[in-house]
Amino acid sequence: STGEPLFDSPANALCLVLHALASRWTEKQLASLRAYQAHGTESAAARALGVSQPTLHQSLDRAHAKTYLEARDSLLGFARGWPGPRRGAP
């Protein structure tokens, strides 16, 4: 918590949504996401896991993995751009 409601409230809400998504992932979905992140494309991730690209895509889709990654990256970008606590603020 930064103590800044304009930052903390939306950031906390998005963290709750991200956690809700991730907490429902199966091991297969998590492995698919990790491979996708490591290899950068569905085709490369599928090859690394020994599955077809459509199978990997389906796993990512059911996990809402790309939505998760986009929301997480947006939150991180927002946090990096936040000026932080004001000097002299309690």
Side-chain angles (χ1 to χ4, degrees), residues 21-77:
L21 281 174
S23 68
R24 298 182 183 275
W25 291 340
T26 65
E27 289 297 319
K28 178 182 172 184
Q29 290 168 334
L30 181 57
S32 296
L33 175 60
R34 287 181 173 160
Y36 176 72
Q37 288 178 289
H39 298 282
T41 67
E42 289 185 9
S43 295
R47 279 192 302 276
L49 293 175
V51 299
S52 70
Q53 181 274 328
T55 296
L56 183 106
H57 177 82
Q58 184 177 40
S59 180
L60 293 174
D61 188 54
R62 287 185 176 164
H64 303 284
K66 291 182 180 180
T67 301
Y68 173 91
L69 292 174
E70 184 176 339
R72 184 206 62 188
D73 292 348
S74 292
L75 175 61
L76 292 173

Side-chain angles (χ1 to χ4, degrees), residues 2 4 6-7 77-87:
T2 66
E4 295 281 341
L6 291 175
F7 176 84
F78 177 66
R80 285 188 197 107
W82 189 257
R86 294 182 300 270
R87 294 189 187 266

